[in-house]
Amino acid sequence: MSTIFCGIDWAEGHHDIALVDLDGAQVAKLRISDDSTGYHALMELLTRHGDTAEDPIPVAIETPRGLLVACLRATGRQIYAINPLAAARYRDRASVSRAKSDAADARVLANILRTDRHAHRPLPDDSEAGQAIAVLARAHQDAIWDRQQMINRLRSHLREYYPAALAAFHGPGKPGLDSPRARVILTAAPTPADAAKLTRSQLRALLKRGERPRCGIEAEVERLRIIFRADYLRQLPQVEQALGHQAVALIRQVDAACTSVAQLAVATEEAFLAHPDADIITSFPGLSVLSGARILAEIGDDRERFADARAMKAYAGAAPVTRASGRSHVVVARTVKNQRLASAGHMWAFAALRTQAPRAHYDRRRAGGERHTAALRNLFNKLLGCLYHCLQHRTLFDSDRAFTPPIDLAACAST
């Protein structure tokens, strides 16, 4: 058990270090630069105060990421990422004058470990492969969000001058503005005037460059010709030409976003399929390779991270929160949660409805009076508990064991 505790107040250019003992006395302080020199100075300071490989000094810092945190995690020590709001509350315990300094904040972080280490969780000891999957899966999800933002910008821009493009590619049953077909044609004809001039042979060539529609090239050619040659409101010619140049720039950004999504999807799938937990995770109904990678990215592969299944469910926001005070007793959905995991879990539960056992569980919850969102969250809660069990025992998902049919107590009593 360590008798020295370290607090690090990090900044972009430097970090303040404070070491305190069991009595709360500060035994050392140091300001280091944000580079390898500063890191080695920190390690020398820790070594001088009893840091060893068998008993490393724990560290409290207000961020879970960055090069300094990554290097400290590689030493095998416990790193506690303290929420800045929580650290601010602890600061008020140490001083009522509201004085603040970087050195004092580092001392506050060190004292948090000294007094309330049991109330905070260290960063999980995920494997290198698990950390890589987390980076890729989150980057892929961010790229999808960025692509949607670019599509929304393009759609809003086309509404200003090019309603025929929206009629051709945007809406139910249409290929979408991010489809290769739409991007190729809109790049070749960025204005309504250009689109109206496209011949059948030109449209046929463009469709072959983009993607072949299911309805057939000739049918698509005729559909587009009818739309592009219909009567629409138009901007002034020079204004329309200028808006067309802007549309081409936006389409190029959509192209880049679509390429990023595709490349990150391939990298995420490769990294996930090489992980030993991949077979277990993808054995669950509703989980594909990419959605399974998102789940693994958020729960990690450190099996000691969660004390039990209830802790994992609370982390994901699947377990409700009870608020009881006096005569008041309310059970509500959890709002403080891992938003990425909750989002992936919602899609997971929705996709699982295509299989029989999860669908029956969902229908029972709906028949009991729950709304769609609550029933879906309850299904995610059940699936997450099954996932915890399967990962702990290294077993594949078994629908018969996970979704046992409910016992009819009235029928049992009558017999």
Side-chain angles (χ1 to χ4, degrees), residues 45-354:
L45 178 67
L46 295 177
T47 301
R48 288 199 303 269
H49 289 82
D51 183 74
T52 62
E54 295 76 18
D55 188 20
I57 294 176
V59 174
I61 190 170
E62 288 181 330
T63 178
R65 57 183 61 88
L67 285 173
L68 179 62
V69 174
C71 292
L72 288 172
R73 291 181 70 179
T75 63
R77 72 184 69 250
Q78 289 188 323
I79 310 297
Y80 292 81
I82 308 298
N83 188 296
L85 292 177
R89 301 297 185 270
Y90 279 99
R91 189 188 305 124
D92 293 338
R93 291 173 53 184
S95 173
V96 296
S97 64
R98 305 188 70 83
K100 184 183 183 304
S101 68
D102 294 342
D105 286 346
R107 186 167 59 251
V108 168
L109 290 169
N111 276 306
I112 290 176
L113 291 188
R114 180 181 66 88
T115 58
D116 296 327
R117 182 178 179 182
H118 63 281
H120 298 274
R121 295 190 305 173
L123 292 178
D125 187 21
D126 292 329
S127 66
E128 183 178 353
Q131 294 181 50
I133 292 171
V135 171
L136 290 171
R138 292 167 184 169
H140 178 249
Q141 191 173 34
D142 290 340
I144 292 176
W145 292 338
D146 292 341
R147 180 184 63 182
Q148 188 59 49
Q149 288 183 349
M150 291 308 308
I151 293 171
N152 292 341
R153 286 185 60 189
L154 177 60
R155 173 182 173 274
S156 178
H157 178 70
L158 292 174
R159 284 179 57 86
E160 297 293 325
Y161 80 107
Y162 202 168
L166 298 179
F169 303 115
H170 180 73
K174 307 294 178 55
L177 293 174
D178 60 329
S179 65
R181 189 190 323 173
R183 286 180 277 147
V184 168
I185 293 177
L186 291 179
T187 301
T191 66
D194 295 330
K197 295 176 184 178
L198 290 175
T199 64
R200 287 186 174 87
S201 60
Q202 289 173 332
L203 281 171
R204 193 177 299 111
L206 290 172
L207 289 173
K208 290 179 179 178
R209 284 172 50 194
E211 62 179 353
R212 294 181 179 270
R214 294 183 178 179
C215 62
I217 289 181
E218 295 304 324
E220 183 67 4
V221 166
E222 295 303 322
R223 185 184 76 88
L224 293 177
R225 276 177 58 84
I226 293 173
I227 293 175
F228 289 154
R229 296 184 178 222
D231 184 26
Y232 297 97
L233 298 177
R234 299 277 292 272
Q235 293 274 4
L236 295 174
Q238 292 187 13
V239 176
E240 184 178 277
Q241 195 68 24
L243 291 168
H245 286 298
Q246 185 180 358
V248 172
L250 290 173
I251 293 169
R252 289 172 181 167
Q253 295 180 49
V254 174
D255 282 336
C258 292
T259 301
S260 298
V261 170
Q263 292 176 345
L264 286 169
V266 172
T268 303
E269 289 179 350
E270 291 179 352
F272 175 69
L273 291 174
H275 195 277
D277 291 343
D279 291 338
I280 297 176
I281 293 176
T282 53
S283 69
F284 278 73
L287 281 182
S288 63
V289 175
L290 282 175
S291 58
R294 290 185 185 179
I295 296 294
L296 179 60
E298 302 309 322
I299 65 174
D301 56 7
D302 179 10
R303 296 296 157 247
E304 303 298 326
R305 178 177 187 175
F306 301 104
D308 50 28
R310 293 178 60 187
M312 181 185 287
K313 294 175 182 179
Y315 179 70
V321 174
T322 301
R323 296 175 181 171
S325 178
R327 298 181 180 178
S328 174
H329 187 277
V330 182
V331 180
V332 297
R334 190 179 297 266
T335 57
V336 179
K337 56 191 174 185
N338 183 316
Q339 297 293 345
R340 289 182 183 269
L341 182 55
S343 176
H346 179 84
M347 299 305 298
W348 174 16
F350 189 79
L353 294 180
R354 292 177 292 182

Side-chain angles (χ1 to χ4, degrees), residues 11-32:
E12 184 174 341
H14 63 269
H15 313 293
D16 282 87
I17 315 298
L19 300 183
V20 300
D21 59 17
L22 287 174
D23 297 324
Q26 181 170 286
V27 298
K29 68 176 183 177
L30 179 68
R31 171 169 287 188
I32 62 173

